Amino acid sequence: MSNTYRKIPNSISFNSIIEKDFTLSSSQYMDLIMPNKNFLYVKDFLKRGLQRKDLGVEVGSLNYIGQSTHYFIRTKALQAHSFLPEITNETTLPIMPNSFIEMNLKQGDLLISKDSNIGEVIILDKDYPNYMLSGAIYKLPVIKNKYYLLAFIKHNIFREQLDSMVPKGATIRHAKTMFLDCKIPMPNKDEENVIKFVEVLTQAIINKEKLIKERHKAILKAIETELLENQKPNQFSFELPRFNELEEVGRIDTARYSPDYKKYEHLIQNYKDGFFKLSQLGYTVNRGQNLQISNIGESFYSNSNINGFYKLAVSSNFSEYSTLEKFNYLGNPGSLKKIAKGEIIFSARGAQFGRVVVFPENIENTITNIDSLVIKNDVANIEQNIFIAMFLNNLRWNKHIYKIAITGSGANSLTQYQSDDINFPNFEEKNKKKLLYFTTMLTSSTNPKRLH
């Protein structure tokens, strides 16, 4: 089951042009060469043809509300780095109950996106009784070899096929049901055992993802419980900002004067054992490596590990759960700024703003880019570093970090000079050890789930 590659034929027949509705886009006439001639199509795995009831329904933005018992799953919930749905405030929206349509979403259902992030697929980790799908998502009626199909839809062998089928150029790409005609390679020998082996590996990945989410949830709960249950007797009282507060902050375009921000800051600063800033514990905060040619010269990028290349940990590969899903690789003759054991990488701008990873284990030849902040202390304290990383992660999940950030052009950012705007409760060592235990699964899961 070798990798595929694309090839444009030397000549294109008029019948081919008719079949492609007279489109003259060269990408539509690419052939995808797959050395393995033993294959099935995606549609061959379905127990029946797709029906309208398998497709989600658009409820319209007028039915979006602030809180509800019923939710609407968007295509954002289907991500390339995850076999499970990403259920967050951005990916699932509360809707009016009277607009809800029952879709009977059960554990083990396969969902695939036909629009926007085309071809993204996930499997449901549990029943979702009060959730419905957007009109861009199909629920696939698959029973036999479900995990084998899932593994190969996640693989580039599927993505490259679908990408060549779907016209480019539009703001949002629409795959319709073209994914049904993508080829899924089948074993040439010992088919039953090979399929079983792939399915066991896929289920192991899914189980690990479930455990990561459980551990992550436990981390957030442990932080919030410790914070809420160990307050000094001082009560919170909101006041409008005074001139000296405006002068101290140095900004007026910020949410740092809002009741929500001040209430949570009160919890941190009113913690029984006090609070601290990074600089007070000797931490330094610097930008990651500037990768521009003017700074480091010519570089060579690769998706595969090449001997002597740097491992590039970029924020686009940070997950919601403080895991690093994969490395990119960069070849450069220079001596670049490497990440050391215990150092924290914080995504300081862009779509992944606020995501964070920490390396408690030895790593080699790893760098990050200028979009991230590297937080480090010469006195290596793994427990303290993990606590700082997990508390930063907590601030992203409760959206407190967004109130500290600068917002410009629709994007959040945090400079290294603003790092001391973040306050941390001074948790006891026993609580840091608890977070260390929970975090072991997260931080040991770098690049945990790739079959190819």
Side-chain angles (χ1 to χ4, degrees):
M1 292 181 280
S2 305
N3 288 338
T4 59
Y5 63 91
R6 298 179 187 179
K7 179 182 178 183
I8 299 177
N10 293 327
S11 61
I12 300 171
S13 69
F14 184 69
N15 286 337
S16 296
I17 296 176
I18 295 175
E19 290 173 3
K20 300 292 184 180
D21 293 327
F22 295 94
T23 178
L24 297 180
S25 170
S26 61
S27 65
Q28 294 298 289
Y29 298 94
M30 284 185 175
D31 287 334
L32 210 64
I33 309 302
M34 189 164 67
N36 186 0
K37 302 303 180 183
N38 183 20
F39 61 85
L40 295 175
Y41 294 99
V42 170
K43 60 189 174 187
D44 296 326
F45 288 83
L46 308 188
K47 66 178 182 180
R48 57 168 173 77
L50 283 181
Q51 299 175 2
R52 181 60 188 83
K53 66 179 182 179
D54 300 317
L55 182 62
V57 178
E58 294 298 328
V59 298
S61 58
L62 290 177
N63 288 300
Y64 299 164
I65 55 179
Q67 292 183 334
S68 180
T69 54
H70 294 75
Y71 297 87
F72 178 77
I73 299 178
R74 307 167 72 189
T75 56
K76 285 184 178 180
L78 285 62
Q79 293 294 326
H81 65 259
S82 179
F83 280 67
L84 301 178
E86 293 282 333
I87 305 298
T88 69
N89 292 333
E90 296 177 353
T91 64
T92 54
L93 302 177
I95 58 173
M96 295 284 289
N98 61 6
S99 69
F100 178 78
I101 297 175
E102 178 59 58
M103 295 187 174
N104 197 30
L105 299 178
K106 298 291 185 181
Q107 180 177 352
D109 284 346
L110 292 185
L111 307 183
I112 190 169
S113 173
K114 72 177 184 69
D115 297 333
S116 187
N117 53 342
I118 59 170
E120 294 298 350
V121 65
I122 54 94
I123 187 168
L124 294 183
D125 53 328
K126 61 180 182 179
D127 293 351
Y128 285 83
N130 293 328
Y131 289 75
M132 63 175 288
L133 304 176
S134 81
I137 302 175
Y138 272 106
K139 181 172 72 170
L140 296 179
V142 181
I143 296 178
K144 187 178 179 182
N145 297 337
K146 178 191 301 182
Y147 294 97
Y148 185 87
L149 176 64
L150 172 62
F152 278 92
I153 292 180
K154 279 291 185 187
H155 195 283
N156 283 341
I157 205 167
F158 170 83
R159 304 305 173 87
E160 290 179 11
Q161 292 180 75
L162 189 60
D163 189 54
S164 67
M165 293 178 180
V166 180
K168 296 177 174 61
T171 303
I172 297 179
R173 301 177 73 191
H174 303 279
K176 302 178 184 178
T177 58
M178 296 178 190
F179 58 85
L180 293 177
D181 294 318
C182 290
K183 300 172 183 177
I184 302 296
M186 301 300 292
N188 290 313
K189 297 179 181 179
D190 199 11
E191 179 172 315
E192 183 178 347
N193 285 329
V194 171
I195 289 175
K196 184 177 180 180
F197 179 68
V198 171
E199 293 208 314
V200 167
L201 285 179
T202 306
Q203 288 172 310
I205 291 169
I206 292 166
N207 290 337
K208 189 167 188 178
E209 282 197 9
K210 286 181 181 179
L211 187 55
I212 286 172
K213 291 186 177 183
E214 289 170 6
R215 292 283 177 91
H216 181 262
K217 185 177 180 180
I219 288 169
L220 298 184
K221 184 176 180 181
I223 290 174
E224 290 299 301
T225 299
E226 175 65 19
L227 199 56
L228 291 170
E229 293 183 357
N230 292 281
Q231 290 285 301
K232 297 175 184 177
N234 306 321
Q235 297 296 313
F236 171 70
S237 176
F238 174 71
E239 294 182 356
L240 292 171
R242 300 178 182 275
F243 180 76
N244 62 344
E245 185 181 357
L246 293 172
E247 190 176 38
E248 180 183 350
V249 174
R251 291 161 51 199
I252 59 174
D253 59 332
T254 176
R256 289 178 60 179
Y257 311 112
S258 67
D260 287 344
Y261 172 82
K262 291 192 172 186
K263 186 174 182 178
Y264 198 76
E265 277 297 306
H266 173 80
L267 289 177
I268 297 172
Q269 299 182 32
N270 197 53
Y271 181 66
K272 66 173 186 175
D273 293 324
F275 67 99
F276 65 88
K277 297 179 183 292
L278 291 173
S279 63
Q280 292 173 334
L281 297 187
Y283 282 90
T284 59
V285 181
N286 294 291
R287 286 283 183 191
Q289 178 68 58
N290 183 345
L291 301 180
Q292 290 183 340
I293 293 177
S294 59
N295 185 261
I296 63 171
E298 291 282 353
S299 296
F300 303 92
Y301 291 87
S302 174
N303 292 323
S304 302
N305 192 4
I306 298 176
N307 187 35
F309 273 38
Y310 287 95
K311 293 179 180 178
L312 182 56
V314 293
S315 59
S316 57
N317 293 328
F318 298 176
S319 80
E320 294 273 1
Y321 309 99
S322 292
T323 62
L324 180 60
E325 297 298 335
K326 66 177 182 179
F327 287 109
N328 295 329
Y329 297 90
L330 179 140
N332 187 279
S335 179
L336 307 184
K337 295 189 291 186
K338 298 179 185 179
I339 307 298
K341 176 181 177 180
E343 293 182 353
I344 303 162
I345 310 178
F346 177 84
S347 177
R349 63 187 180 193
Q352 288 76 33
F353 174 78
R355 296 188 185 185
V356 60
V357 296
V358 62
F359 295 96
E361 303 160 352
N362 287 321
I363 57 171
E364 295 181 357
N365 220 33
T366 299
I367 63 173
T368 189
N369 66 359
I370 202 168
D371 287 343
S372 295
L373 297 177
V374 179
I375 303 171
K376 60 182 178 180
N377 192 326
D378 291 336
V379 181
N381 185 333
I382 298 300
E383 292 176 7
Q384 179 82 341
N385 290 3
I386 286 178
F387 165 70
I388 288 171
M390 292 303 100
F391 194 77
L392 286 171
N393 181 269
N394 174 68
L395 294 183
R396 183 179 194 274
W397 276 75
N398 65 22
K399 298 190 175 181
H400 190 69
I401 196 71
Y402 296 108
K403 298 179 179 70
I404 301 174
I406 296 175
T407 302
S409 302
N412 293 293
S413 67
L414 191 80
T415 71
Q416 62 195 82
Y417 308 106
Q418 294 173 288
S419 58
D420 262 2
D421 290 348
I422 306 171
N423 295 313
F424 299 84
N426 193 26
F427 279 14
E428 296 178 358
E429 293 302 315
K430 65 177 182 179
N431 293 308
K432 293 173 186 174
K433 289 183 185 295
K434 184 189 296 183
L435 293 182
L436 177 63
Y437 167 75
F438 285 136
T439 310
T440 301
M441 174 58 70
L442 305 186
T443 52
S444 65
S445 61
T446 299
N447 197 19
K449 42 186 185 293
R450 288 291 169 259
L451 295 178
H452 54 284

